[in-house]
């Protein structure tokens, strides 16, 4: 059964720092991996989707990478800002099921 | 932009009541999903639908049913609400004839449901 793990569960950084969030999954047979952002009490906002044939995707200050063979993905956030404070979730799309989510990394960026 | 609208942000109901949670999307998406989110457990799939009148059980369907009479609307029904169904419920939709196609899922703002 696919399991998705995100480490660390929480992260605090000063404004301006570059940071990396990690996501690992146990079964490499995935169609894609998606990164989301969730603000407190709100729904999920899709940030990036990486197809299984891709190595990375970029959107603004965000860069997500995918290494299917090792079962890992990273989300790189450049020049972090207080407005980046949120919970970041990764999820894999595996044939036969809907998205399987990790439990998230809660990021706090201090000014 | 894709808009997924959940009818209520907050809802309080009593045990034993039949509860309806409504979700509407405006992008003509084929696929729609219901998840619940609980602290320490993350998001778990309850039911999904890849076409009108089609439904599939997710990981935790017990105590729930769904209805999809129109493409844009997917309803989650708690047949007889219990306190362990107190949770945040999230609806999502995505494009694609094949529901595992490489299209992102778009989420609503969630309904925080309390069962007393």
């Amino acid at each position: 059964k696919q399991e998705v793990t995100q480490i660390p569960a929480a992260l605090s950084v000063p404004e301006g720092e570059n940071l990396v969030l990690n996501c690992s999954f146990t079964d490499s047979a995935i169609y894609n991996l998606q990164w989301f952002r969730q603000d407190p009490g709100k729904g999920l906002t899709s940030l990036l989707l990486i197809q299984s044939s891709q190595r990375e995707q970029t959107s603004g200050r965000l860069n997500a990478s995918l290494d299917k063979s090792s079962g890992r993905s990273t989300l790189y956030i450049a020049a972090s800002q207080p407005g980046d404070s949120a919970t970041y979730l990764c999820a894999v799309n595996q044939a036969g099921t809907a998205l399987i989510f990790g439990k998230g990394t809660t990021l706090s960026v201090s000014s | 932009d894709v808009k997924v609208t959940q009818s209520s942000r907050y809802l309080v109901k009593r045990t034993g009541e039949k509860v309806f949670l409504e979700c509407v999307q405006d992008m003509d998406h084929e696929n729609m999903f219901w998840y619940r989110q609980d602290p320490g457990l993350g998001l778990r799939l309850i039911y999904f639908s890849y076409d009108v009148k089609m439904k599939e059980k997710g990981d935790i369907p017990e105590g729930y049913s769904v209805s999809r009479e129109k493409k844009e609307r997917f309803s989650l029904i708690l047949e007889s609400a219990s306190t362990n169904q107190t949770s945040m419920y999230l609806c999502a939709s995505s494009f694609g004839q094949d529901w595992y196609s490489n299209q992102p899922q778009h989420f609503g703002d969630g309904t925080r449901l309390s069962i007393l």
Side-chain angles (χ1 to χ4, degrees):
Chain A
K1 182 183 174 182
Q2 178 76 268
E3 291 184 4
V4 180
T5 303
Q6 292 185 247
I7 295 173
L11 182 63
S12 293
V13 300
E15 183 177 6
E17 192 163 301
N18 302 325
L19 59 100
V20 174
L21 306 181
N22 296 296
C23 173
S24 62
F25 46 96
T26 55
D27 186 345
S28 62
I30 64 171
Y31 277 83
N32 58 60
L33 183 144
Q34 198 168 351
W35 282 93
F36 293 90
R37 168 188 172 134
Q38 186 176 30
D39 293 294
K42 296 290 186 67
L44 279 64
T45 300
S46 178
L47 297 174
L48 291 164
L49 181 147
I50 312 177
Q51 298 180 25
S52 60
S53 58
Q54 297 176 323
R55 298 285 291 182
E56 65 179 70
Q57 281 285 336
T58 298
S59 176
R61 294 183 293 109
L62 305 180
N63 176 278
S65 69
L66 175 64
D67 184 341
K68 249 183 55 171
S69 59
S70 67
R72 293 179 186 277
S73 176
T74 62
L75 179 66
Y76 174 83
I77 302 177
S80 58
Q81 303 170 357
D84 295 330
S85 299
T87 296
Y88 292 81
L89 296 154
C90 74
V92 298
N93 189 328
Q94 190 170 30
T97 64
L99 292 178
I100 301 168
F101 284 84
K103 293 181 181 178
T105 295
T106 298
L107 173 66
S108 176
V109 181
S110 56
S111 57
Chain B
D1 279 354
V2 177
K3 185 73 172 175
V4 179
T5 303
Q6 295 184 231
S7 54
S8 304
R9 289 297 313 278
Y10 302 94
L11 206 54
V12 180
K13 296 290 182 181
R14 297 204 174 274
T15 55
E17 281 192 68
K18 191 168 186 176
V19 180
F20 294 84
L21 302 183
E22 306 288 345
C23 176
V24 176
Q25 49 92 5
D26 67 355
M27 284 301 293
D28 203 34
H29 284 171
E30 285 83 4
N31 312 316
M32 296 189 76
F33 308 83
W34 275 106
Y35 297 86
R36 64 178 281 178
Q37 185 177 29
D38 300 287
L41 296 176
L43 276 93
R44 294 177 291 168
L45 180 68
I46 305 171
Y47 267 98
F48 64 98
S49 168
Y50 50 88
D51 202 352
V52 175
K53 297 191 185 295
M54 304 299 289
K55 61 183 179 183
E56 294 286 342
K57 293 180 179 179
D59 298 323
I60 51 166
E62 296 78 19
Y64 303 94
S65 63
V66 290
S67 173
R68 193 163 181 204
E69 296 296 320
K70 294 184 178 181
K71 192 175 184 180
E72 68 271 17
R73 185 181 297 270
F74 192 34
S75 303
L76 179 69
I77 303 158
L78 284 66
E79 297 292 342
S80 178
S82 64
T83 55
N84 63 11
Q85 292 179 310
T86 291
S87 185
M88 173 74 133
Y89 289 87
L90 291 160
C91 174
S93 71
S94 68
F95 176 78
Q97 290 292 331
D98 295 322
W99 62 267
Y100 49 80
S101 65
N102 280 311
Q103 298 294 325
Q105 284 191 21
H106 298 271
F107 282 76
D109 282 340
T111 295
R112 187 164 293 283
L113 175 64
S114 295
I115 307 296
L116 305 179

